Amino acid sequence: MNHSSNAAVAFRELVQRHSCHGDGRDRLTNVTFFTGAGFSKAWDVRSPTGNELFTFTKEFLQSAECEIDELLTLPGYPTLEDTAPARFKELIYNLHMQLKYPGIRTRYMDDASINLAIAEIKALVQKRFEELIPLNVFDPAQGVFTTPGSLTGVQEGIVEFFRWLSAQQEGSRGYARGVHTDFISTNYDYIIETILDRIFPPGSALQHTYRGITPAKICGNHNKNIVQSHWSVTSLIKINGGFEVIPVEGGYHIDYRARRFGEVRSTPPELMMPSKEQNYTSHYFSSVFPKTVRLLQESSVLVIVGYSLSEEDALLRYLIRQFAEDLRDIDDKYIFYIGNSDPEYLLERLQSCFRYVNHMDRSHIYTHSGGLIDWISQVMEQ
């Protein structure tokens, strides 16, 4: 197992070796970033953790002028005073079980009331998020993703890192050569889109990002790019959904524009919210999961950033494992695990997910204890 500065040096050398400007000029090497909450936290320390996002206080609910407070007073549900994450999971679990099994519904709940309650909870999650940190919404007038102010030095460094990675690929011959970068994210926010928006030519990030689904509209405009070319597109698959993924009859719209609470409640986004039993049966998840598996299997380098590989996320851990399901799949593949925890913990997390990790080529596995910013700084120093 390789640690710390070795991880930065190894990544830099790996990219240079497979770059379109180096030995990789006649082939394609897929580098996939799997990003968790720690990635957003690195971009902006105000980005909420799950505990912060899924705690609705009585004051918050009252200020939101919502109807869910009535549900929270019913027997068997969390109360207004204790809607902490554990209680939030219980609430979502109860609602989904009642939706799935009509025979166990409480007296005054039906399909309509349950779906309306779930829609309002999703709207409350987005409102709570925006209470903690502004969303980088898309401004149609300027044609860009907005930020509260100028990018910080840390944010500029992150953008520069991914701009450098983007420069290692080219497609002048009609096909991609070099290092191709893709993203799988557990986050609801628009941070990766904001980064891509500052790397690609103005206005092209939205049209040249594949989401695992093909939306009929993007920010209110007809999607003119329904067939993507591999050399020109970056995959961004949000496996927990996102605030911009809006289910509509027959498909989806992607809408990054600012929306009021009432709009979000009437057309709620596709979000996988924490529950005692995750429900991944919707059309969105059945569409993006196979795309996630294929992307991982076709990737040569997996960079896990700010994701805990928690035992509770059994399905997501199973997805990640598709990068190299067993020892037969690991030849010429590399794993980089970037986190703030100590190296022993990072190694233990990898071992719990890739159970054969001790039998892998140790020179292909790297951990970096120090977080994304520190790792990027070391990569770009070389």
Side-chain angles (χ1 to χ4, degrees), residues 365-379:
I365 306 170
Y366 296 85
T367 63
H368 181 87
S369 178
L372 177 65
I373 306 306
D374 182 62
W375 181 68
I376 284 178
S377 298
Q378 292 188 30
V379 170

Side-chain angles (χ1 to χ4, degrees), residues 20-247:
C20 62
H21 311 297
D23 294 339
R25 57 183 174 271
D26 292 320
R27 59 180 182 269
L28 185 69
T29 299
N30 287 321
V31 177
T32 295
F33 284 80
F34 190 102
T35 64
F39 182 89
S40 296
K41 205 78 170 173
W43 176 266
D44 192 321
V45 294
R46 296 175 297 172
S47 293
T49 62
N51 283 347
E52 295 169 320
L53 182 57
F54 299 110
T55 296
F56 298 162
T57 64
K58 182 176 182 179
E59 292 72 25
F60 168 73
L61 292 172
Q62 289 174 338
S63 67
E65 298 181 355
C66 63
E67 301 297 329
I68 198 69
D69 56 341
E70 296 182 11
L71 176 63
L72 295 178
T73 62
L74 295 177
Y77 290 93
T79 67
L80 288 171
E81 284 72 29
D82 67 357
T83 48
R87 298 290 189 176
F88 186 94
K89 289 183 180 181
E90 183 72 24
L91 170 63
I92 301 301
Y93 174 75
N94 282 341
L95 289 172
H96 280 303
M97 287 301 101
Q98 291 191 63
L99 198 60
K100 186 176 181 180
Y101 302 110
I104 63 172
R105 288 176 186 168
T106 54
R107 182 173 298 171
Y108 299 113
M109 297 297 285
D110 52 59
D111 276 352
S113 62
I114 296 170
N115 282 314
L116 287 169
I118 292 173
E120 183 155 284
I121 292 171
K122 290 180 178 180
L124 285 168
V125 170
Q126 181 165 337
K127 182 177 178 65
R128 171 67 174 159
F129 186 97
E130 294 182 86
E131 182 182 77
L132 296 168
I133 179 175
L135 274 173
N136 297 340
V137 297
F138 184 77
D139 181 355
Q142 301 181 63
V144 297
F145 284 86
T146 61
T147 55
S150 300
L151 295 185
T152 66
V154 164
Q155 292 166 348
E156 289 282 8
I158 295 174
V159 170
E160 185 58 32
F161 169 75
F162 285 106
R163 183 179 290 118
W164 167 71
L165 273 180
S166 179
Q168 311 311 312
Q169 175 187 306
E170 70 95 30
S172 61
R173 301 181 188 177
Y175 59 88
R177 302 183 302 131
V179 174
H180 182 80
T181 305
D182 295 299
F183 298 88
I184 300 168
S185 177
T186 65
N187 302 325
Y188 302 147
D189 57 42
Y190 309 158
I191 289 174
I192 294 174
E193 292 91 331
T194 302
I195 294 169
L196 296 177
D197 190 45
R198 281 156 174 76
I199 294 173
F200 297 147
S204 66
L206 291 180
Q207 288 295 330
H208 295 288
T209 303
Y210 181 60
R211 302 299 305 272
I213 56 166
T214 299
K217 289 185 178 181
I218 301 176
C219 294
N221 297 317
H222 176 68
N223 183 9
K224 300 178 182 179
N225 201 18
I226 61 173
V227 179
Q228 303 280 7
S229 299
H230 186 52
W231 68 268
S232 66
V233 66
T234 295
S235 290
L236 169 54
I237 301 178
K238 293 189 174 181
I239 52 179
N240 280 333
F243 293 133
E244 78 285 6
V245 183
I246 315 299

